Amino acid sequence: MSTPRRPRRGARAGAVALAVGALSLPALALPASAAGTTYRQANGPADCVSINPDGSLNTDPGSCSQFGPAGQGRSNQQARNVILIIGDGMGQQEITAARNYVEGAGGRFEGLDNLPHVGLYTHHSINKKDGSVNYVTDSAALGTAWATGTKTYNGAIGVDVAGRPEQNLIEVAKNAGMRTGNVTTSEIQDATPAVMGAHVSTRSCYAPSGDFKASCEADQRVNGGLGSISEQLVDTRADVALGGARGAFSATVEAEGTYTAADGATHEWTA
C-alpha cells in the first residue's frame, strides 16, 4: 500500500475522513482479478480510488474529497432566479430506494447527487385539539411548514393551529417585487401547490359552490372568510400558474361584498 500523505494545513475534514475510510479497504481482501481496475468512490471523481497491480489501493486524499483538490468553487454572485421543485412524498428513503434499484448500492444519480448542499427538516404536524406532536403528517401540514415556516395541523392550508393566516413564499416574493410561478402536475388546488397561494382551514375547500365545494363554511367569503382555495389563488395571482381542476374556477360565487385578504388589503367581489 502506498503511504498516505499527511493532510495539508486547512484541509477539509470531510476529505481526511474519506481518505482514512478508503485506506482501510484492503482488509476486505479484494480479488486478484480486480487489480488495475478503477472504482468510483462516493462523491468523488471516477479515478478517486484505484487498485494497483499488486492488489493494494492507490488513493489521493485531495482527489477523494467531494469536490476534489480545487474545492467546491463557490461564487459570491447572487442567484437571479430560484426554482423550488417539490417531489411530493419524495424523502431520503424513497430516493435511496430508487438509487439502489436503478444504479446499485454504490451508484449515483447524476445531477441530484451532485448538488452541493442538502438540507433536512422535521416534518411532524401539530394536533389541533391539544397542541401535541403528530408524527404522521399530511401534505397540507407539511406544505404549510415549508411554505410559511409554521407547523400546523393535518389538513390546514397556510394557517397556523389557531387558524391564523401565515405568509407564504409567493406572497413574500410578490411583496418584494419579484415575478412568481406556481406549476404542478396535480390539481392546482391540491395541498402542495395550494399552500403557495391560499389560507383555509381544510385542504378540500376548493371552490365557493358546486361539486368542488367542501364543508368549509367559515372560510367562505359570504361568512367573512378569505374565500376558497380557487378564489384565493386568483387573488394571489402568480405570474405563471399551471395545473388541473379548471372546473373549480368555474364555480358560482355565492354573494358579493368586500373582504380583507391575508395581506390586509380590502377587496371587492361580485357574484
Side-chain angles (χ1 to χ4, degrees):
M1 178 188 299
S2 59
T3 302
R5 292 182 294 180
R6 185 175 182 178
R8 296 183 296 275
R9 183 180 299 275
R12 292 170 59 91
V16 175
L18 182 55
V20 171
L23 292 174
S24 65
L25 288 178
L28 299 177
L30 296 169
S33 60
T37 302
T38 297
Y39 285 84
R40 186 167 192 167
Q41 184 73 349
N43 293 326
D47 59 351
C48 175
V49 177
S50 60
I51 301 176
N52 297 320
D54 61 359
S56 62
L57 289 180
N58 181 25
T59 66
D60 182 341
S63 295
C64 285
S65 65
Q66 182 174 0
F67 301 102
Q72 184 176 347
R74 294 177 181 269
S75 171
N76 291 327
Q77 293 182 340
Q78 292 184 343
R80 293 183 57 190
N81 304 293
V82 176
I83 300 176
L84 176 62
I85 300 176
I86 304 296
D88 206 357
M90 186 177 174
Q92 287 294 338
Q93 59 270 34
E94 287 81 13
I95 296 174
T96 299
R99 184 190 296 109
N100 289 345
Y101 180 79
V102 176
E103 302 292 345
R108 290 167 51 79
F109 282 141
E110 296 295 339
L112 182 63
D113 287 327
N114 289 334
L115 295 175
H117 301 289
V118 174
L120 302 175
Y121 66 95
T122 58
H123 51 79
H124 61 269
S125 58
I126 305 297
N127 287 313
K128 188 175 182 180
K129 291 183 178 180
D130 57 11
S132 61
V133 171
N134 185 347
Y135 290 102
V136 182
T137 187
D138 74 340
S139 53
L142 177 57
T144 297
W146 59 253
T148 71
T150 301
K151 298 287 189 187
T152 190
Y153 60 91
N154 286 349
I157 298 291
V159 297
D160 64 12
V161 175
R164 294 181 293 253
E166 295 287 342
Q167 195 173 47
N168 58 55
L169 291 174
I170 283 186
E171 291 168 336
V172 170
K174 289 181 73 70
N175 288 338
M178 300 178 182
R179 294 184 178 180
T180 59
N182 193 4
V183 178
T184 179
T185 57
S186 68
E187 299 166 339
I188 199 167
Q189 300 88 348
D190 195 24
T192 301
V195 298
M196 296 295 277
H199 310 272
V200 294
S201 60
T202 177
R203 59 184 295 171
S204 57
C205 190
Y206 274 32
S209 63
D211 295 337
F212 288 92
K213 180 181 179 180
S215 179
C216 52
E217 295 302 323
D219 294 302
Q220 300 298 333
R221 290 179 178 174
V222 68
N223 296 321
L226 297 179
S228 65
I229 294 173
S230 294
E231 292 170 288
Q232 292 188 56
L233 289 176
V234 171
D235 292 332
T236 303
R237 200 174 290 275
D239 295 281
V240 176
L242 300 174
R246 177 181 178 182
F249 291 103
S250 301
T252 301
V253 177
E254 294 183 332
E256 61 184 33
T258 61
Y259 73 99
T260 302
D263 60 3
T266 300
H267 299 269
E268 295 183 359
W269 86 94
T270 58

